[in-house]
């Protein structure tokens, strides 16, 4: 494709490769006259600006020269590394002169641009070349066999390469070898080429085909092979390019006969030795592969001959050609459309004629149209063969899990090398681990969580703490795991009960006297002490044992006496107060009953103005909120201490929270960080995260690790001490946790990442990450095995989803079912909102199935609906930091469990349940989404995906028409009088959240509750999806729900109709925990804590959330289980007797790979013959007759379908062979 | 540590030009000058050839996996001027679409963030960039940016999906108002940033100039939740630049030289967490780079045949800071 053109009849030279930008120098040609027959000459420099789409080249400088040129080259001599315009332009003139120009001066517009000049040659200097190894060496050739070697450092005295060749002839071409710096070749029109060795100072070989028809117009050395060169012939009778190898110089190695008439110039690409340009009198410019002779490309040219052609040294795809029609054109060999060219012609024509109404018609001419037949030709195809420079030889790409995929092509060999075929072409998959400390700390944390050794862990952390604050935080965390945590908190705040007691005793008198007179400086201490005092008030009452006079005089005393005597306490107290006898008043009020006491207290506090009054007020009135809200933040410690001492369990957390919030919002930086301690006391993980994140900038892995350690420990603590469902995950925590899991994953610790990922959350980023992690673990997800898309629903499991030992990671799964428990508001742990949340957790799960029963959609139908969330997730604003969004919540990493996987896919809708109430609007919303249901598309349709808007109506209708649930919910509403029936959740009018709120729009669930202040008990997602999952309103499951305390045998679940499985799972998960005989810790803890307010519902919630069962992959049919046990047993035996690590590795690998077999067994996809054979092998293993086993093996392999057995049979063979070898 | 966990013998008969894992890191797609695209299951250190896709008539330069929510879809581009979209259906991989709208080698393909739908950007040596959008029912809509890079576009890379303004407090439920952007690099030594206008047309938003030779690759870093956008670029001139833009609204990008290599740098790739950059140099070297706490880019590893050690100086520096 033509890029640029300049109307000049000129020789051309590209700036050296080092130069940037790219320039093209032109010097008026001495051989050709332009149309004007002008004898003026000039040297011009143009810039190749490819960002300018026009065909014009930007002229940088023009220098009027007194010479015309036969040749022009631009050498990199003395170029600086920066590549500023430099080097030297070397021109060969008509009169045997060689002129050196400074191109930078030409561009700068200097007058003195000639560096040096020498006219030692006797005739026109047609041949010039710069040595690429020593750029100060220039060779020149002229008539009479004259060849000179010029040293630009010493330009005055050229050398000769040896004696002149005889007979004298013109030197038309000269070229330095590209590999060996002292080798030079020259050629003449006579057809002879001479190769010179400058060290020997003589010609070493002469190359000629003796045809007398070679008329050398071009000479070029092979860029890579030192002994090869090409010669081009100008003779029309022999328009060829000959490729010579000097080692076999008797005849040309290859002859390229691609031109019809004589060749005028050639150029061999330095960037790709397979590209040789040639232009000839047949007006063609060809690019051929001199190694094969194949023509790779024909440049689209006009019909003019080109007499000079040059590759651009810097931009390997660019070349320039000078043609006899007075034009230099710059082409790209990469093809492309020639729109620019046509446009230029149009412009030219337009500008010549003008559009300005030349005929006075009052109408400007329409733009000239170029006939469209050019359109056909405007597309210029690229080279047939891709040039070397676009063939990427090396690459490294990261992928999920910290993996790096690399490949390198060691050597670029010629395409036809036979050995190339055998060359192994490996791709390496590597694990990149950069954060060792992070990993080891994360590992420790994981171990701690497993071993429950929290106290010692915290202690270690305390010991290792480098800052006081860090130490404090860990101390606070540790206290959570100790008895009398509040007391210990107090200690940490500097208030030891015992010490205080003593102190208080000692100081009680003074304190009592100096009440209210303490200096502000002492306030802090006082505040604390007063707490003590208040508490022990009664102990310090002065003993009342002495006798006294009862006076009834007229003074106050007398009046009081009278009042007392008449039993009029109220008047007596008033009188006392009036007389400022506070103590008397209070004492009397006590006698006068609660009501009077309260009134008196109030009056007292109203009158009293001392500094600690408010504290006392708070103590007496139990109004800690007041203290926390209004205390001086400098005294946060004291306030916290007071709360720790006095607050009732049900308000404790809230108060700590409140204090923390104040510290955070009003305090200075120091205080802000202290808020963390309050949140720890409050057990408020979410706020701790927020506060910590604010205080600690930097998102380095270790600082995240710092945070996560605390969060994990605190969550455990909260779980233990407050018997609360800590699986609730707020937005921020989810964000941090998934960040953390991402980091772990990025270091390759995928299992760890899964372990730390919060379990029952519907935070999309977590759900998606979990799915990705599970799959990344390399579990053979059946959906993938059968090459279906991950989200497609598969048949549901035939096996029971019951527990199966040995899959620890599964233990989290049941919790997954408890999406309803997910509270969205981050204020999760306060006592007050705990109660209601627990309530409606599952009852609704069953009830809506009634609705479904009325309108049972076909199962397949439903599935699409369930898939939608997955698809639509894509539209959600994904939290930054989570690169991979989407994905249905397959929460578990288990292989061999297609149904489980997909049931969780179904569960996918579970995660969106909270929005089910607004489903009707959702159904409006998502038909617009372009890629609605990934699954649907794959269910056999040819298109990629199909919109399935109809999938939602069942959902919406079920939500909208949902009747108040039956009593199912009631059974759980133990402690929650305020908890509205769970149905209230569904009763939310569809419009409440606005039509744009798709039910499958997770972020909304994060916000809706916050913004709309939806009652805390709003939530139950289960209710709505379950019916969908369970369209027939499976009565069994309903019963299950209503009688949750009656655990169903597992087998009953297995009997659930398949489409209902998700529902069944839900029940399963619920029922299981309840079936667990007692959760003593969760019941007793609240009691220990003295938290009478803790509702039972809460406990239940906690219980439910405990991972109580393990869902496993589909079981291997019993009759085939023997295969697994036998093979595994054999591997174990081999492993124990194998000695060298290589064998062990082999066996380990085999053990892993046999999973493919077990997979197939589970799927029951193996043909009976294979199964039989496997059983035979197993029997032979039992008899330790391994050779027989191998024979059977061979038989199976030879008779079965390769694809069926290829995944595991070879491995089995390895195992058998090893067993045979080891003799186990 | 960079340690080989799996060596996949691809049995390609000519140079490999690209190797990409799928979203989960369980499948490997490779492509080669032998005109084939291969897909391997590489779970558990194994290698099972799933598909050997033939259809290109020239060297295949790049492969790109679509997000799995759309199914198992792979795009490949070739010197034969074609882009082929392959799809797995019922366990077999087949060509599902062929895009022939380019006049020259198609050098780069990149799927848009899945949030936008199924959109593929293709950069070609004909200087154009085309954008294929799946519109359903097997139809792909094509938009073409002509003359994006004179004499050729070598690389395209999408910006992560980030909603302008607040990242978290989007009005709930509304289709997020994404601004689609991608970066391209070409033979005009430029990196260009393209933005979709409201009318759906693509417009050049920015030109990033620092390279003095062909830009071989650009890689927009994944978003890690920070407001900063980052792009890595590498060039024929041996230089690798890290471009950052702190304020997307001002759209001022500043380059920082990561390193000047002695040879062509072919490829740059960000880790998923965007903190490590893998640089593939023309001397067959792969190096890993990480930004130290003081903002300098430090080479933490030389990777040779998939192996290398990681210097811990960077991480130690971070630790000290704590």
């Amino acid at each position: 494709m033509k890029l640029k053109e300049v109307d000049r009849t000129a020789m051309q030279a590209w700036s050296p490769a080092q130069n940037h930008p790219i320039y093209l120098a032109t010097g008026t040609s001495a051989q050709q006259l332009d149309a004007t027959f002008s004898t003026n000459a000039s040297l011009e420099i143009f810039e190749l600006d490819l960002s300018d789409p026009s065909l014009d080249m930007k002229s940088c400088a023009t220098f009027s020269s007194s010479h015309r040129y036969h040749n022009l080259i631009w050498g990199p001599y003395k170029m600086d590394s920066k590549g500023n315009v430099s080097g030297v332009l070397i021109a060969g003139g008509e009169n045997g002169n060689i002129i050196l120009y400074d191109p930078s001066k030409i561009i700068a517009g200097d007058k003195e641009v000639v560096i040096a000049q020498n006219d030692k040659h006797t005739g026109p200097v047609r041949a010039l070349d710069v040595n690429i190894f020593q750029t100060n060496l220039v060779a020149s050739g002229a008539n009479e066999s004259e060849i000179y070697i010029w040293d630009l450092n010493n330009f005055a005295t050229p050398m000769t390469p040896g004696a002149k060749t005889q007979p004298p002839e013109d030197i038309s071409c000269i070229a330095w070898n590209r590999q060996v710096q002292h080798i030079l070749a020259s050629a003449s029109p006579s057809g002879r080429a001479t190769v010179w060795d400058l060290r020997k100072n003589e010609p070493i070989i002469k190359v000629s085909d003796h045809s007398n028809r070679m008329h050398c117009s071009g000479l070029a050395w092979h860029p890579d092979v030192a002994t090869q060169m090409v010669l081009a012939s100008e003779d029309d009778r022999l328009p060829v390019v000959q490729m010579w190898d000097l080692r076999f110089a008797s005849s040309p190695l290859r002859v390229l006969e691609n031109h019809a008439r004589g060749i005028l110039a050639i150029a061999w690409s330095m960037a790709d030795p397979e590209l040789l340009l040639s232009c000839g009198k047949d007006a063609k410019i060809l690019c051929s592969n001199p190694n094969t002779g194949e023509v790779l490309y024909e440049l689209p040219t006009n019909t003019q001959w080109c007499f000079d052609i040059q590759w651009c040294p810097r931009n390997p795809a660019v070349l320039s050609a000078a043609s006899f029609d007075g034009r230099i054109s710059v082409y790209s060999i990469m093809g492309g459309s020639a729109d620019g060219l046509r446009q230029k012609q149009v412009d030219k024509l337009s500008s010549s004629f003008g559009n300005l109404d030349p005929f006075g018609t009052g109408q400007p001419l329409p733009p000239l149209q170029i006939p469209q037949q050019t359109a056909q030709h405007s597309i210029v195809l690229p080279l047939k063969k891709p040039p070397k420079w676009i063939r990427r030889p090396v690459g490294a790409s990261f992928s999920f899990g910290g993996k790096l995929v690399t490949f390198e092509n060691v050597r670029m060999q010629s395409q036809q090398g036979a050995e190339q075929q055998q060359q192994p072409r490996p791709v390496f998959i590597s694990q990149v681990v950069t954060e060792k400390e992070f990993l080891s700390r994360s590992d420790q944390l994981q171990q701690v969580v497993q071993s429950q050794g929290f106290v010692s862990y915290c202690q270690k952390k305390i010991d290792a703490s480098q800052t006081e604050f860090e130490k404090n935080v860990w101390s606070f965390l540790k206290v959570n795991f100790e008895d009398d945590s509040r007391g210990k908190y107090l200690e940490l705040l500097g208030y030891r009960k015992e010490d205080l007691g003593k102190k208080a005793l000692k100081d009680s008198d003074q304190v009592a006297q100096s009440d209210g007179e303490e200096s502000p400086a002492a306030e802090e201490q006082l505040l604390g002490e007063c707490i003590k005092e208040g508490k022990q008030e009664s102990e310090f009452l002065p003993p009342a044992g002495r006798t006294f006079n009862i006076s009834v005089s007229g003074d106050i005393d007398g009046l009081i006496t009278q009042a007392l005597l008449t039993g009029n306490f109220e008047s007596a107290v008033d009188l006392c107060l009036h007389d400022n006898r506070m103590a008397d008043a209070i004492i009397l009020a006590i006698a006068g009953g609660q009501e009077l006491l309260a009134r008196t207290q109030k009056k007292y506090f109203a009158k009293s103005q001392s500094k600690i009054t408010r504290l006392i007020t708070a103590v007496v009135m139990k109004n800690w909120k007041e203290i926390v809200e209004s205390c001086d933040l400098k005294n946060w410690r004291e306030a916290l201490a007071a709360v720790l001492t006095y607050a009732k369990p049900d308000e404790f957390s809230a108060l700590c929270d409140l204090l923390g919030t104040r510290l955070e919002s009003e305090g200075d930086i120091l205080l802000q960080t202290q808020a963390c301690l309050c949140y720890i006391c409050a057990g408020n993980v979410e706020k701790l995260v927020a506060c910590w994140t604010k205080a600690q900038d930097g998102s380095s892995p270790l600082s995240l690790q710092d945070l996560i350690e605390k969060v994990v420990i605190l969550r455990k603590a909260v779980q233990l001490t407050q018997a609360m469902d800590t699986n609730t995950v707020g937005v921020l925590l989810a964000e941090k946790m998934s960040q953390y899991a991402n980091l772990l994953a990025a270091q390759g610790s995928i299992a760890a990442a899964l372990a730390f990922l919060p379990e029952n959350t519907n935070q999309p980023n977590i759900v998606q990450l979990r799915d990705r992690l599970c799959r990344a673990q390399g579990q053979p997800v059946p959906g993938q095995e059968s090459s279906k898309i991950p989200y497609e629903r598969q048949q549901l499991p035939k096996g029971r989803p019951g527990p199966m030992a040995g899959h620890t990671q599964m233990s989290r799964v049941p919790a997954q079912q408890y999406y309803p428990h997910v509270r969205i508001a981050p204020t999760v742990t306060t006592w007050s909102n705990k109660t209601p949340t627990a309530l409606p957790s599952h009852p609704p799960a069953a009830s809506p199935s009634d609705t479904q029963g009325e309108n049972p959609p076909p199962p397949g139908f439903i599935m699409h609906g369930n898939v939608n969330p997955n698809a639509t997730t894509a539209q959600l604003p994904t939290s930054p930091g989570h690169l991979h969004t989407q994905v249905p919540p397959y929460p578990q990493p288990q292989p061999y469990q297609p149904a489980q996987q997909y049931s969780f896919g179904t569960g996918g809708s579970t995660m969106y349940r909270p929005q089910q109430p607004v489903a009707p609007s959702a159904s409006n919303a998502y038909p617009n989404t372009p890629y609605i249901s990934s699954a649907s598309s794959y269910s056999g349709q040819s298109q990629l995906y199909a919109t399935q808007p109809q999938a939602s109506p069942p959902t919406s209708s079920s939500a909208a028409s949902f009747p108040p649930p039956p009593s199912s919910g009631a059974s759980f509403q133990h402690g929650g009088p305020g908890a509205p029936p769970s149905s209230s959740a569904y009763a939310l009018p569809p419009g409440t959240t606005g039509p744009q709120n798709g039910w499958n729009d997770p972020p909304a669930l994060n916000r809706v509750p916050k913004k709309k202040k939806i009652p805390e008990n709003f939530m139950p997602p289960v209710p709505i999806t379950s019916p969908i999952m369970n369209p027939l309103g499976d009565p069994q499951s309903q019963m299950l729900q209503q009688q949750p305390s009656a655990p169903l045998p597992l087998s009953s679940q297995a009997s659930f109709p398949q489409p209902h499985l998700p529902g069944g799972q839900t029940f399963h998960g619920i029922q299981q925990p309840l079936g667990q005989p007692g959760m003593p810790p969760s019941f007793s803890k609240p009691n220990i804590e003295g938290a009478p307010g803790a509702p039972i519902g809460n406990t239940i919630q906690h219980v439910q959330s405990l991972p109580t069962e393990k869902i496993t992959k589909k079981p291997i049919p019993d009759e085939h289980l023997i295969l697994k046990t036998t093979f595994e047993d054999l591997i174990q035996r081999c492993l124990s007797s194998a000695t060298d690590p290589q064998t062990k590795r082999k066996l380990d690998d085999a053990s892993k790979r046999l999973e493919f077999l077990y997979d197939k067994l589970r799927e029951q996809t193996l043909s009976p013959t294979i199964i039989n054979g496997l059983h035979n092998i197993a029997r032979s293993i039992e008899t330790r007759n391994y050779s027989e086993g191998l024979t059977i093996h061979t038989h199976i392999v030879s008779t079965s379908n390769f694809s069926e057995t290829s995944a595991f049979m070879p491995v089995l063979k390895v195992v058998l062979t090893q067993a045979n070898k080891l003799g186990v | 540590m960079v340690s080989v966990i799996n060596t996949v013998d691809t049995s390609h008969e000519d140079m490999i030009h690209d190797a990409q894992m799928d979203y989960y890191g369980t499948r490997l797609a490779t492509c080669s000058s032998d005109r084939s695209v291969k897909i391997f299951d590489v779970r558990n250190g194994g290698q099972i050839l799933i598909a050997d896709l033939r259809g290109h008539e020239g060297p295949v330069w790049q492969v790109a996996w679509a997000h799995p929510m759309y199914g198992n879809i792979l795009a490949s581009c070739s010197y034969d001027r074609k882009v082929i979209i392959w799809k797995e259906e019922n366990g077999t991989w087949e060509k599902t679409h062929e895009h022939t709208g380019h006049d020259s080698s198609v050098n780069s393909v990149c799927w848009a963030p899945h949030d936008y739908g199924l959109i593929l950007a293709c950069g070609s040596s004909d200087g154009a960039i085309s954008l294929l959008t799946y519109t359903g029912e097997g139809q792909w809509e094509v938009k073409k940016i002509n003359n994006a890079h004179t004499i050729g576009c070598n690389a395209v890379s999408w910006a992560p999906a980030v909603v302008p303004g607040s990242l978290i407090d989007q009005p709930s439920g509304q289709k997020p108002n994404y601004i689609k952007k991608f970066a391209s690099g070409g033979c005009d030594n430029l990196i260009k940033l393209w933005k979709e206008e409201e009318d759906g047309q693509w417009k050049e938003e920015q030109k990033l100039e620092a390279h003095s030779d062909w830009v071989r690759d650009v890689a927009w870093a994944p978003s890690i939740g920070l407001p900063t956008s980052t792009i890595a670029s590498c060039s024929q001139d041996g230089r690798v630049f890290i471009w950052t833009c702190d304020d997307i609204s001002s759209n001022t990008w500043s380059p920082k030289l990561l390193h000047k290599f002695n040879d062509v740098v072919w490829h740059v790739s960000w880790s998923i967490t965007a903190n490590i950059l893998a640089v593939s140099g023309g001397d067959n070297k792969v190096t890993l780079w990480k930004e130290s706490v003081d903002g300098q880019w430090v080479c933490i590893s030389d990777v040779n045949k998939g192996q290398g050690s990681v210097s811990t100086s960077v991480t130690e520096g971070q630790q000290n800071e704590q």
Side-chain angles (χ1 to χ4, degrees), chain B residues 22-85:
Chain B
D22 71 351
Y23 176 81
Y24 299 108
T26 56
R27 291 177 177 205
L28 175 72
T30 61
C31 60
S32 156
S33 267
D34 70 5
R35 305 177 171 197
S36 72
V37 173
K38 296 189 181 188
I39 300 174
F40 298 87
D41 183 334
V42 293
R43 281 178 294 172
N44 302 317
Q47 74 166 87
I48 300 166
L49 180 67
I50 297 175
D52 183 350
L53 305 174
R54 307 281 168 157
H56 281 298
E57 295 155 43
V60 189
W61 301 131
Q62 274 190 19
V63 286
W65 290 93
H67 193 277
M69 69 184 291
Y70 302 107
N72 290 326
I73 294 175
L74 187 74
S76 60
C77 61
S78 161
Y79 190 73
D80 68 2
R81 298 176 275 139
K82 286 192 287 200
V83 173
I84 296 184
I85 296 171

Side-chain angles (χ1 to χ4, degrees), chain A residues 579-597:
Chain A
D579 199 31
N580 223 9
R581 297 184 185 180
M582 294 300 174
D584 288 356
I586 301 283
I587 303 283
L588 283 173
I590 293 169
Q594 282 300 314
E595 209 180 312
L596 181 58
L597 178 61

Side-chain angles (χ1 to χ4, degrees), chain A residues 732-1041:
Chain A
L732 196 59
L733 179 57
E735 168 76 25
K736 286 288 165 192
M737 282 307 234
S738 60
Q739 237 179 54
Y740 186 63
N742 267 319
L743 266 175
L744 281 169
Q747 300 293 316
S749 295
I750 288 177
L754 268 169
F756 279 108
L757 214 50
E759 284 126 19
N760 57 345
T761 171
N762 55 355
Q763 299 289 335
N765 45 15
I766 291 198
V767 172
Q768 289 148 13
L769 182 59
R770 174 177 297 282
D771 166 74
R772 193 172 186 180
L773 288 168
C774 289
R775 287 164 179 274
Q777 271 196 327
Q779 310 285 5
V781 176
Q784 266 191 357
E785 201 71 319
S786 54
S787 304
K788 289 183 180 152
I789 75 129
Y791 310 110
E792 186 170 5
R793 197 120 316 143
Q794 292 247 311
Q795 84 280 7
L796 296 163
K798 292 172 187 152
R800 48 200 180 121
M804 206 178 222
H807 298 280
T808 43
Q809 72 233 78
M810 273 350 303
S811 61
R812 289 186 307 276
V813 168
Q816 283 289 335
Q817 290 299 311
Y818 292 89
Y819 293 125
H821 295 210
V822 174
R823 216 166 315 120
I824 281 72
T827 54
V828 279
T829 50
T830 57
W831 292 73
S832 48
N833 67 5
K834 246 165 50 178
T835 313
T837 350
L839 295 178
S841 40
H842 34 70
S847 12
S849 48
D850 297 346
T851 342
Q852 285 294 341
E854 294 164 18
N855 185 15
F861 198 15
I862 286 153
M863 292 188 175
H864 293 318
N866 292 331
V867 172
N868 288 338
N870 312 338
T872 15
T873 322
Q875 298 190 311
L876 300 173
T878 48
S879 310
H882 298 288
L883 327 162
H884 11 73
T885 36
Q886 62 83 144
V887 181
Y890 307 127
Q892 38 135 340
Q894 273 312 306
Y896 319 128
Q897 224 186 339
Q900 289 292 7
Q901 292 284 354
Y902 291 103
S903 67
F904 282 114
T906 315
S909 49
T910 345
M911 66 180 274
Y912 302 99
R913 275 182 271 189
Q915 288 180 323
Q916 292 276 347
V918 294
S921 53
S923 65
N924 299 333
Y926 76 79
N928 303 330
T929 67
Y931 34 77
I932 263 311
S933 121
S934 37
S936 59
S937 55
Y938 294 96
S939 48
Q941 298 163 26
S942 61
Q943 74 259 48
L944 274 174
Y945 30 67
T947 311
Q948 298 267 353
Q950 72 272 33
S952 67
T955 317
S956 48
S957 70
S958 70
S961 65
F962 182 49
S967 59
S968 51
S971 55
F972 286 102
Q973 302 194 352
H974 303 294
S982 42
S983 60
S984 66
Y986 326 123
L988 281 173
T992 40
T993 40
Q996 72 275 52
N997 247 332
W999 60 275
N1000 41 13
D1001 202 355
L1005 33 141
N1006 301 336
R1007 291 174 211 113
V1008 168
K1010 278 193 237 157
K1011 283 189 188 161
K1012 306 259 177 197
K1013 290 251 175 229
I1014 290 196
E1016 286 144 352
N1017 52 347
F1018 159 82
M1019 38 75 44
V1022 181
I1024 295 189
T1025 23
S1026 285
I1028 301 176
M1029 305 301 129
N1030 203 356
L1032 301 179
D1034 186 291
Q1036 197 175 13
S1037 52
Q1038 280 182 41
M1039 203 177 66
L1040 232 179
Q1041 297 249 316

Side-chain angles (χ1 to χ4, degrees), chain A residues 50 334 435 883 886 938 945, chain B residues 67 70 104 134 150 272 290:
Chain A
L50 291 176
M334 293 307 293
E435 305 289 344
L883 327 162
Q886 62 83 144
Y938 294 96
Y945 30 67
Chain B
H67 193 277
Y70 302 107
S104 185
Y134 188 69
T150 309
I272 305 272
K290 191 170 174 184

Side-chain angles (χ1 to χ4, degrees), chain A residues 526-675:
Chain A
L526 184 64
L527 182 54
E529 286 173 353
C530 283
I531 294 161
K532 196 71 217 169
E533 192 201 353
K535 200 174 182 186
Q536 299 181 345
E537 197 172 0
S538 56
E539 295 170 29
F540 300 118
L541 280 179
R546 277 171 277 146
T547 57
F548 61 97
N549 288 328
I550 298 175
S551 161
V552 285
S553 54
D555 58 7
I556 292 282
D557 277 1
L559 289 173
I560 294 171
T561 309
Q562 284 175 27
L564 281 177
L565 290 177
T566 56
N568 189 348
F569 285 99
E570 189 142 4
S571 305
V573 169
D574 283 350
L575 284 166
C576 289
L577 285 173
H578 191 254
D579 199 31
N580 223 9
R581 297 184 185 180
M582 294 300 174
D584 288 356
I586 301 283
I587 303 283
L588 283 173
I590 293 169
Q594 282 300 314
E595 209 180 312
L596 181 58
L597 178 61
R599 278 209 303 274
T600 312
Q601 279 172 352
K602 245 184 224 161
K603 282 181 192 164
Y604 166 75
F605 292 132
K607 283 186 85 158
S608 173
Q609 296 300 324
S610 80
K611 290 226 157 95
I612 70 157
T613 309
R614 290 177 74 178
L615 177 60
I616 298 175
T617 310
V619 172
V620 173
M621 311 295 266
K622 305 203 179 340
N623 187 5
W624 289 104
K625 200 162 174 235
E626 157 86 7
I627 290 290
V628 167
E629 272 179 346
S630 55
C631 73
D632 187 330
L633 282 177
K634 278 188 218 130
N635 292 335
W636 69 271
R637 265 172 206 282
E638 288 66 37
L640 183 57
V643 169
L644 280 163
T645 305
Y646 292 103
K648 280 184 274 177
D650 59 351
E651 57 181 25
F652 172 69
S653 290
L655 289 171
C656 291
D657 254 5
L658 192 60
L659 187 58
T661 314
R662 277 197 63 206
L663 282 172
E664 229 184 313
S665 59
E666 298 167 30
D668 55 28
I669 293 179
L670 196 65
L671 287 174
Q672 284 180 9
T673 57
Q674 304 294 345

Side-chain angles (χ1 to χ4, degrees), chain A residues 1073-1074 1076 1079 1082-1083 1098-1108:
Chain A
L1074 291 175
Q1076 288 266 328
M1079 294 307 298
S1082 39
F1083 280 106
N1098 171 43
T1099 311
I1100 289 172
Q1101 182 183 26
H1102 174 55
V1103 172
Q1104 285 161 356
S1105 63
L1106 282 180
T1108 51

